[in-house]
Amino acid sequence: MNRTLTAHNSLALLLAASLTACGSSSIDTDPGDGDQPQQVVPDLNEKPIQLSPLSKASKTEFLTHYKNGLYLSASNNGYVYKDGIAVPEVAVDAAADAGGGSSDDGGNFSQTVTQEAGVDEADRVKYDGNYVYVNDSGNYQNSVAPHVRILKRNADASLTQVATTHFDAQTSEQHIHPDAMYLAGDNLVLVNEQNYFYAIDTGVDMASLAFGDALWYPYESAFYISIQDIAVPEQPALKKEFKIDGRLISSRVIDGNLYFVSSYAPTLPYEWLSPTTDEEKIASYKRVSELAESDILPQVEVNQADNVNLVEADNCYLPQGSTDKDGFDALVTLSKVSLANPETIESVCINASVAGFYASQQSIYLFGSEYQSNANASQTIIHQFKLDDNNSFDYLGSGMVEGQLNWQNPHLRLSEYQNVLRVVTTQTDWSNSDDRFTHKLFTLQHDADSQSLKIIGQLPNDSQPAKIGKPNEDIYAVRYFANKAYIVTFERTDPLYVIDVSDAANPNITGELEITGFSSYLHPLGNNLLLGFGQEVDPNGGGLRDIGADGQAEDDVIEPGLKIALFDVADINNPVELGKHVFVNSHSEVEYNYRALAYVKVSDTEHRIGLPVNSWKTELVNNSWRWTYSNTLGLLNVIEDNDSATLNFVGEVTPDSTQHSWDNRGIIHDDIIYFIQNHQIWQSDWTDSSLVNGPY
């Protein structure tokens, strides 16, 4: 597993630096005269190739490129390229339909909200109408290890715990957290992202290291995936468990297959790092060159026994135009495992910079950005892999767009619809105080002749020059629904833009609505209604008011807090805010993690919404002010009536608990409400949320 590599006792000959070109690649593969040890390190290109389409590499081409990158990384203390590799998805997705909603199994109940219909996403709570699965991080003081609770719904809607399960590799010394889960048929999939831990080489005197060197000492990382049979939920049974080197970026379940993207960089021994003399550089280069494939490829431990490569060296891609002087020190691996028959993992790897991914039912897109200082601008490369029924990933091509996707939920800025990819980017120029942001929408389509993603339309353009956003307004939310795109920008007020992308070659802004506050997540309710979740903000800064001719303030005082707004977008030329509700001095997990939203359409005219509400206030106790904090589940509904709709506050589920929690969830099943606070579950009723039972 993600081993700390050890130095070889004897040094063999170097891999040759000058090799013969193979096919269309410019990386040489002729080993040259192996009888003559090389006395100098090749003059390698220190800057990796970032913005380039991909090319399938031979085994030798890939290993040359990869080991060049490892040597360059070792020369720079082992972390030269780490900013160029993907990081785990934090929120914790742009679709033909907003995932989650009613089910045919036992009534109308909410399920995990997803970006794409048919593309499931992992979450800490899952519900199938009969059983609730909730992760429990355990209690170290009471020696309770992390696990998943399985609770059965009784006839009176109360819950009874019938089983627990956990990672099979978990021991009393090693706790493995089930961070998120999937329910797929009779399968429960536990997903873990292991925290980093230091891999201290006992041969190194850590006390002698400078503080910065000790802080950045190479670490190991791994994550776990456990696939369990829950045909009988009271008796979960292990099917297959994997421990995989590297970091889990994110995952999805599509058509009974688990797809996941992970990153990996080998941990080099400390004594290999930062060579200074020619002799040290040659020795470091030799050591890297001699590394076996199993030393530098991510390993998979299956059921705590067999170790195999996650990906093979002959199934990897390099940036086009790579030469034997280029390199990159980390891998991003795209993998697939069948949940019905999880005997093998099919994988491809990319030995290049990747920042994130987006998945539709047909394709997975990997993307990465690079800031170009000479142009004071960023560009983003997008790689498309088509999902293949034959257990393979078909690379279709790549495309380049101006700007970047930014850091918060970047995958929400992409959407595939009718074989067209829509992308919203932002170009930032901090030197321009008048207008720091330039936002663009691009439409791209696969071109088989050039094996690329070609731009077929963009906005603004010559015929539609209007900018997206007013000066200095950044993008706070992007959502797509069928052939419409919705974008929220914000600085002091919240413009909601409606963009018609039905003609992918000629997108255009059709409507704009300016209101107070902002939405950071948008949730479509069919074709004509849109919910926004965000914050109510006073555009006057909470104090300065616009004064009219009569000397009075022209507008009302706005109380800040969690804001839910309902928009009518039936007329794409004239979006209208139909109503709003503000939880004063509050925020919600939904603002940054849409999976925390409970949503279900219970009839043709009623949509029900539940969301965690975290509120704070100050109160005077014994002549001193004290902050108090509360966790509730806010309940709202949207009632459609002919050509209009209303947003209504229904109530709040307030548990009999003083504990502070975060990452809370709700479940709506007909009139029954479950509020998950940490690992405890409270039960209430839609018709009277003051009735609270539990905790279960």
Side-chain angles (χ1 to χ4, degrees), residues 433-437 467-474 490-491:
S433 59
D434 294 328
D435 190 3
R436 297 187 298 272
F437 306 110
K467 294 189 62 176
I468 300 173
K470 294 177 172 54
N472 282 325
E473 288 183 346
D474 201 359
F490 177 77
E491 186 188 31

Side-chain angles (χ1 to χ4, degrees), residues 27 48-49 60-70 317-319 322-329 351-352:
I27 294 180
I49 299 175
T60 302
E61 291 168 345
F62 161 71
L63 291 174
T64 299
H65 191 269
Y66 190 17
K67 290 182 178 182
N68 283 350
L70 291 174
Y317 290 83
L318 301 179
S322 298
T323 73
D324 59 321
K325 301 299 189 295
D326 294 305
F328 193 72
D329 72 331
N351 186 208

Side-chain angles (χ1 to χ4, degrees), residues 372-392:
Q372 299 172 313
S373 57
N374 59 339
N376 190 27
S378 297
Q379 287 189 304
T380 295
I381 186 81
I382 303 171
H383 311 295
Q384 181 182 9
F385 287 84
K386 186 174 179 60
L387 305 184
D388 194 319
D389 293 334
N390 297 321
N391 292 326
S392 63

Side-chain angles (χ1 to χ4, degrees), residues 449-632:
D449 293 336
S450 61
Q451 197 181 32
S452 67
L453 282 170
K454 282 194 171 182
I455 296 174
I456 59 175
Q458 69 180 68
L459 192 70
N461 55 49
D462 291 342
S463 61
Q464 300 285 335
K467 294 189 62 176
I468 300 173
K470 294 177 172 54
N472 282 325
E473 288 183 346
D474 201 359
I475 288 179
Y476 275 59
V478 177
R479 194 70 201 247
Y480 305 84
F481 188 84
N483 55 17
K484 289 185 284 189
Y486 306 103
I487 299 176
V488 171
T489 62
F490 177 77
E491 186 188 31
R492 294 182 63 188
T493 58
D494 171 7
L496 169 68
Y497 292 92
V498 181
I499 299 177
D500 182 2
V501 286
S502 57
D503 181 356
N506 297 287
N508 65 294
I509 298 174
T510 57
E512 177 184 344
L513 173 65
E514 187 167 313
I515 53 178
T516 57
F518 62 87
S519 296
S520 52
Y521 172 64
L522 299 171
H523 190 84
L525 304 179
N527 290 315
N528 300 327
L529 298 173
L530 185 69
L531 279 174
F533 299 85
Q535 287 288 311
E536 181 67 287
V537 177
D538 189 341
N540 295 292
L544 300 176
R545 320 300 305 166
D546 292 330
I547 305 300
D550 59 358
Q552 302 297 313
E554 293 183 331
D555 47 3
D556 297 329
V557 174
I558 295 174
E559 293 187 286
L562 170 62
K563 175 183 176 180
I564 298 92
L566 176 65
F567 303 102
D568 183 345
V569 290
D571 182 355
I572 61 175
N573 299 302
N574 184 34
V576 176
E577 184 182 68
L578 297 178
K580 67 178 180 180
H581 181 81
V582 177
F583 294 90
V584 177
N585 292 335
S586 302
H587 65 90
S588 175
E589 290 89 331
V590 175
E591 297 176 66
Y592 55 86
N593 184 356
Y594 51 85
R595 302 174 191 94
L597 176 66
Y599 163 76
V600 62
K601 187 175 184 179
V602 296
S603 70
D604 291 340
T605 59
E606 184 182 5
H607 307 261
R608 291 183 175 179
I609 300 104
L611 72 162
V613 177
N614 308 304
S615 303
W616 63 93
K617 65 179 179 179
T618 56
E619 58 183 3
L620 189 62
V621 178
N622 297 328
N623 295 321
S624 64
W625 290 99
R626 183 178 68 181
W627 281 95
T628 61
Y629 202 86
S630 66
N631 302 121
T632 64

Side-chain angles (χ1 to χ4, degrees), residues 55 64 165 170 604:
S55 178
T64 299
T165 189
Q170 180 165 273
D604 291 340

